[in-house]
Amino acid sequence: MKDTFKHQGMRQQLVETLINKGIKDKGVLKAIGKIPRHLFMDSGFIDHAYQDKAFPIAADQTISQPYTVAFQSELLQIEPGHKVLEIGTGSGYQTAVLLELGARVYSIERQQELFKKTSKFLPKIGYRAKSLIFGDGYKGMPVEAPFQSIIVTAGAPFVPNPLLSQLAIGGRLVIPVGDDVQVMTLFIRKGPKDFEKHEFGDFRFVPMLEDKN
Ligand code: SAH
């Protein structure tokens, strides 16, 4: 599969759409302008890759809407070299955005099929995460903690304590919290037991599930 001028043109239009919707972070916009999102999609949806919409991927999951990816990425305030944990690798698109921002990325996926597919695919197009694992995101990745940022890309019914405790002081957790609709929530760790909480309106995600298959 190729990245053509047509794709690049559509990608620039998508970037314009995101700017019009309020995304400001230059690094995030640049990453979205660069990453060939069509390569992350199942073949039936490739023609729609640069619409600002979520689409189905394998295992009944979805590649998040570009606006949502941009919004979450902007909230993380990533700087080059930051150690970042992602829960819900999925297609790997958000992983690629984090890598473009210069993060060292650790990512967890609980669907075996997606884990296998994306672990093969990402390096093929030049994106190398520090670690992609098949596991349960509710537990985080204690061996690699602390993280400057943690991003959850599935709807969490509650905020898992392990994720809060694996944040570095000054670190940021961005997590959509809720059952049918999720409130985008940012926690900033101010001290060992001190967390600041901010809420940013409603989003819709596939659910964060507890049992591995
Ligand atoms: N970041 C992805 C979004 C995928 S949708 C992308 O850009 O494509 C959310 C993903 O979270 C799905 O792949 C789903 O399988 C995964 N997920 C759900 N519950 C999980 C859990 N407990 N631990 C890890 N991943 C989980």
Side-chain angles (χ1 to χ4, degrees), residues 20-36:
N20 290 334
K21 289 186 176 179
I23 301 299
K24 292 194 177 64
D25 188 308
K26 293 239 165 33
V28 171
L29 292 166
K30 196 172 158 206
I32 289 176
K34 185 169 170 197
I35 301 167

Side-chain angles (χ1 to χ4, degrees), residues 57-193:
I57 51 175
D60 287 332
Q61 302 303 318
T62 57
I63 177 169
S64 300
Q65 184 181 342
Y67 175 73
T68 304
V69 171
F71 193 88
Q72 289 194 281
S73 303
E74 191 166 72
L75 284 179
L76 293 172
Q77 297 189 354
I78 288 169
E79 285 171 24
H82 272 186
K83 200 169 181 182
V84 178
L85 175 65
E86 176 188 31
I87 309 300
T89 317
S91 68
Y93 182 73
Q94 173 74 68
T95 318
V97 171
L98 298 170
L99 289 167
E100 284 289 348
L101 291 168
R104 292 179 288 144
V105 184
Y106 299 75
S107 186
I108 308 176
E109 172 57 52
R110 66 171 283 284
Q111 302 272 5
Q112 178 89 270
E113 182 188 353
L114 276 171
F115 163 73
K116 283 194 183 148
K117 192 173 167 191
T118 302
S119 315
K120 261 200 205 147
F121 167 70
L122 278 177
K124 233 189 245 171
I125 59 162
Y127 288 112
R128 288 182 178 74
K130 288 282 174 201
S131 171
L132 296 176
I133 67 162
F134 169 57
D136 181 6
Y138 279 92
K139 301 189 175 77
M141 218 185 273
V143 288
E144 293 293 346
F147 296 95
Q148 265 98 23
S149 286
I150 301 179
I151 173 173
V152 178
T153 70
F158 59 89
V159 182
N161 276 328
L163 300 186
L164 288 171
S165 67
Q166 288 169 33
L167 269 187
I169 307 294
R172 301 162 80 87
L173 166 65
V174 173
I175 179 168
V177 188
D179 292 321
D180 297 336
V181 177
Q182 293 86 31
V183 177
M184 190 62 76
T185 311
L186 164 68
F187 290 90
I188 305 173
R189 188 169 201 174
K190 294 289 182 183
K193 291 193 173 160

